[in-house]
Amino acid sequence: DIQMTQSPSTLSASLGDRVTITCRASQSISSWLAWYQRKPGKAPNLLIYKSSTLQSGVPSRFSGSGSGTEFTLTISSLQPDDFATYYCQQYKTFFWTFGQGTKVEIK
Amino acid sequence: QVQLQESGPGLVKASGTLSLTCTVSGGSISTSNWWSWVRQSPGKGLEWIGEVYQSGSTYYNPSLESRVSISVDTSDDQFSLKIDSVTAADTAVYYCARATIQRYFDLWGRGTLVTVS
């Protein structure tokens, strides 16, 4: 199976900060990577798929990049609604695997 | 607007069977999507459990395959999860999710906590 490793595990940031989360795959997954946002008690939300394609309705301050084994999720200017946990997921190879998550906290 | 809602017991006895149902509302389960179960155990990341297609075809996480069964009921727009011989390690928040053909998840339920005691 493909292991997905996110860093950092926790990130403390202030409103308006530019935030970057990294996801690394244990082998090449081309661009078959998605990012999700999860808040307690709410349904997880798809942000980005195919590494850099923004899901409909997701604010443009979110962006994704990367291919092969290294990927990043960037929030250009952190907003109050963005404090949450973020997960990456590979869908190149069965079975589908997720990173362990990055929690974005208020600094 | 399509929504997913998990339902089932929040407490299961060890060695018993965990059973959950996901109801698709506002749309049909008979689409070109796969319907999945994902869980998150305390202190751990998300773990994909398995998926079912409208035809009844299934795929499972190899680490759980011997204990897991997922089925679909197209007449009621529901799909269900069963995990046999549960232990404390199966305590988790269980999510149902809709996957595209490519297998990323574009719609999720809110999740339901199942505790194994």
Side-chain angles (χ1 to χ4, degrees):
Chain A
D1 52 318
I2 297 179
Q3 309 294 327
M4 306 300 293
T5 304
Q6 287 181 234
S7 59
S9 297
T10 306
L11 187 159
S12 297
S14 302
L15 293 176
D17 282 355
R18 182 182 181 87
V19 167
T20 298
I21 299 168
T22 297
C23 177
R24 289 186 173 86
S26 60
Q27 62 190 75
S28 176
I29 58 170
S30 185
S31 295
W32 304 113
L33 184 100
W35 289 98
Y36 304 90
Q37 177 192 66
R38 188 176 67 86
K39 297 179 182 178
K42 289 195 170 184
N45 187 39
L46 172 67
L47 299 175
I48 287 168
Y49 60 94
K50 206 172 181 186
S51 178
S52 61
T53 303
L54 201 65
Q55 172 72 346
S56 175
V58 174
S60 59
R61 62 180 180 273
F62 290 93
S63 64
S65 65
S67 66
T69 61
E70 187 153 337
F71 303 85
T72 58
L73 172 70
T74 300
I75 309 172
S76 60
S77 177
L78 200 64
Q79 300 301 303
D81 194 44
D82 302 339
F83 293 98
T85 302
Y86 294 86
Y87 296 89
C88 60
Q89 177 233 336
Q90 69 81 19
Y91 52 100
K92 164 73 165 56
T93 302
F94 180 83
F95 58 96
W96 330 121
T97 49
F98 295 85
Q100 81 279 15
T102 295
K103 186 175 183 179
V104 177
E105 296 181 329
I106 300 173
K107 190 172 184 180
Chain B
Q1 180 182 358
V2 181
Q3 293 184 314
L4 305 181
Q5 178 67 58
E6 304 89 351
S7 60
L11 187 62
V12 180
K13 290 186 178 180
S15 76
T17 298
L18 180 158
S19 298
L20 295 174
T21 296
C22 182
T23 300
V24 180
S25 60
S28 174
I29 204 169
S30 299
T31 62
S32 57
N33 296 104
W34 287 81
W35 303 91
S36 275
W37 289 95
V38 178
R39 71 181 182 181
Q40 182 163 30
S41 303
K44 295 192 174 181
L46 295 168
E47 178 181 37
W48 177 77
I49 299 170
E51 63 189 10
V52 64
Y53 195 67
Q54 56 169 305
S55 63
S57 296
T58 54
Y59 293 101
Y60 300 119
N61 186 321
S63 70
L64 296 167
E65 187 167 15
S66 63
R67 298 191 296 128
V68 170
S69 174
I70 298 176
S71 59
V72 64
D73 181 346
T74 55
S75 61
D76 284 340
D77 290 313
Q78 294 180 329
F79 62 107
S80 298
L81 169 71
K82 290 188 188 297
I83 303 179
D84 295 326
S85 306
V86 296
T87 69
D90 295 306
T91 293
V93 175
Y94 286 78
Y95 298 95
C96 58
R98 182 180 74 184
T100 66
I101 292 175
Q102 294 88 351
R103 300 312 209 285
Y104 59 88
F105 305 99
D106 65 349
L107 184 67
W108 296 68
R110 290 193 168 199
T112 186
L113 174 63
V114 178
T115 302
V116 178
S117 66

